[in-house]
Amino acid sequence: VQLQASGGGLVQAGGSLRLSCAASGSIFKINAMAWYRQAPGKQRELVAQITSSETTNYKDSVKGRFTISRDNAKNTAYLKMDSLEPEDTAVYYCSADLTRREVPGTHRYWGQGTQVTVSS
């Protein structure tokens, strides 16, 4: 199983980006998918999460600016980020809690990270 994150880049404050996270491999079911971020010198933090029933949860500082969504047919999650601020600068990681076809139980898998830089 692999998670491929993409869509990061350099943007000016107030701008927008959309991140994508595509899961591939021998997947039976994907439960929650989420985006985390880690800024230099800081711990990784949860930014947004979406369950299999599409219930969402956001970090307070991104509420109203970020939107997480998913396309179950494509095993893909998205993070639309609007009104970006310099404080949003970080490496963004996606995760998926999923069950593989040949392995019992649900496990968390991580993507490789994509850099988001917001200039002031």
Side-chain angles (χ1 to χ4, degrees), residues 15-58:
S16 299
L17 286 173
R18 191 179 82 151
L19 307 183
S20 298
C21 174
S24 62
S26 183
I27 299 169
F28 174 69
K29 180 182 179 182
I30 300 179
N31 296 321
M33 300 186 78
W35 288 95
Y36 290 75
R37 68 186 182 190
Q38 187 167 20
K42 295 186 177 181
Q43 291 188 332
R44 189 174 298 189
E45 59 183 8
L46 176 66
V47 176
Q49 182 184 53
I50 184 167
T51 67
S52 57
S53 59
E54 304 202 7
T55 298
T56 58
N57 179 46
Y58 295 93

Side-chain angles (χ1 to χ4, degrees), residues 20 24 33 44 51 55 74 81-82 89 92 94 100 112:
S20 298
S24 62
M33 300 186 78
R44 189 174 298 189
T51 67
T55 298
K74 296 181 179 180
M81 305 184 293
D82 296 316
T89 295
Y92 283 69
C94 63
R100 294 171 59 178
Q112 82 284 11

